[in-house]
Amino acid sequence: MDTKLTVAVLGTGIMGAAMARNLLRAGLAVKVWNRDRAKSAPLASAGAQVALSPAEAVAGADVVLTMLYDAAAVTEVIRQAAPGVRPGTAWVQSTTVGVHDAPALADLAGEVGLDLVEAPVSGTREPAEAGQLLVIAAAPEAVRERVAPVLDAIGARTVWTGQDPAAGTAARLKLVVNSWVIAASNAAGEVLALAGALGVEPQQFFNLINGGGLDLPFLRAKAALILDDRLEPASFAVDTSLKDAHLILDAAREHGLRLDGAEAATARLERVASRGRSKQDIAAAYYASTQQDLEPQAG
Ligand code: NAP
């Protein structure tokens, strides 16, 4: 008898595809579905079963994992999956969603018969490919055990924030982390733009901060993407980071908080998105500072 845990991965974009590959490497049975089949089909050669619909993917699965763009996409896809769901199946929801989306998704889980595990992740394409994500999760003890092989396969460690996925404790921590990601990405772009404008060699700056308190691996990584012009394929795309930036600003406003830096960072991302850079890495926010994207384009 085959006792392998079967995981249905719904959404095989940048993050979902990498997570599916690590589930396969960990010896789990994996079924994948993606709206654009061109992104799920290549996973067949790694051993995944490619499903033609969300309902087909979740049929017979022990765990459903969603890694879609936003809460609206998650709701749409889980409703499509509903006819195939075996009641009591665990649902690892890793899409980054807003604070208010958490109770709505918990209601949806109840309606469809899924046991929800709130499980957004920190880490981008490379940690996802290496199975080294940080999983931020909330779920009752009884469900945690059932999804442990999945969380262990995709992440380096899991940080539990609570028992109740409807409370959105994991979503809150994830938004806090992403406010730092967005701030640091924008700062990386601005520091390089300023260096360029003042005739300071970027390497001079890096030599100065090398190994000190101002040095940051994330700054190094994003600066390399800008300097080497490697903004595609993205690790964390401008359009996806903009979605998160708005979730952060909405949450801040609701709590009477004014985040001037986050507002400015969002405006910078919007500016480069409107100049055809929405599918590039968030590091492309660099171009919000340069004449190349400030000047009206010819034609
Ligand atoms: P991505 O490559 O753009 O993947 C987005 C996925 O959502 C694709 O599979 C896309 O399908 C699907 N999708 C979008 N709208 C849909 C709809 N209405 N119905 C069905 N499917 C839909 O983005 P990603 O970077 O993997 O991000 C996925 C999630 O992880 C996002 O919530 C993001 O915030 C979060 N996240 C990203 C990172 C990162 O660094 N990249 C890190 C942590 C968390 P198609 O292929 O058909 O368009």
Side-chain angles (χ1 to χ4, degrees), residues 221-296:
K222 291 302 176 196
L225 296 186
I226 298 165
L227 294 170
D228 302 344
D229 195 17
R230 281 189 288 116
L231 296 167
E232 286 178 82
S235 288
F236 184 31
V238 167
D239 59 358
T240 315
S241 62
L242 258 174
K243 179 261 298 178
D244 291 356
H246 285 291
L247 293 176
I248 291 161
L249 290 178
D250 290 348
R253 271 189 218 111
E254 207 169 298
H255 287 80
L257 203 64
R258 181 170 158 171
L259 298 181
D260 291 324
E263 299 266 6
T266 306
R268 290 169 61 79
L269 288 166
E270 268 161 1
R271 197 148 75 233
V272 294
S274 71
R275 296 298 175 114
R277 297 188 186 273
S278 63
K279 296 296 170 201
Q280 293 187 349
D281 192 81
I282 186 174
Y286 162 81
Y287 287 102
S289 298
T290 64
Q291 290 305 315
Q292 188 172 330
D293 278 18
L294 289 178
E295 279 169 3

Side-chain angles (χ1 to χ4, degrees), residues 67-168:
M67 198 48 164
L68 298 154
Y69 178 68
D70 63 1
V74 173
T75 303
E76 195 182 320
V77 170
I78 288 296
R79 287 201 186 285
Q80 289 168 18
V85 167
R86 185 169 55 198
T89 301
W91 173 20
V92 174
Q93 202 310 94
S94 291
T95 309
T96 304
V97 300
V99 173
H100 290 304
D101 296 318
L105 292 178
D107 285 348
L108 177 65
E111 203 183 296
V112 174
L114 290 162
D115 292 342
L116 180 61
V117 179
E118 208 199 355
V121 297
S122 177
T124 189
R125 181 194 287 272
E126 295 75 13
E129 287 172 352
Q132 294 293 305
L133 293 167
L134 298 176
V135 184
I136 308 165
E141 295 290 346
V143 195
R144 294 183 186 188
E145 215 170 287
R146 284 157 52 201
V147 299
V150 173
L151 303 189
D152 289 349
I154 62 172
R157 74 191 154 95
T158 299
V159 175
W160 291 99
T161 57
Q163 300 270 342
D164 179 9

Side-chain angles (χ1 to χ4, degrees), residues 5-34 39-50 65-67 94 125 127-131 133 149-150 153-155:
L5 197 74
T6 299
V7 187
V9 178
L10 305 178
T12 55
I14 296 171
M15 300 294 284
M19 291 155 95
R21 286 183 191 280
N22 283 314
L23 293 168
L24 288 162
R25 275 187 207 114
L28 308 184
V30 178
K31 294 170 84 178
V32 291
W33 173 83
N34 196 68
K39 293 184 196 163
S40 54
L43 290 159
S45 59
Q49 191 182 326
V50 181
L65 188 156
T66 42
M67 198 48 164
S94 291
R125 181 194 287 272
E129 287 172 352
L133 293 167
V150 173
I154 62 172

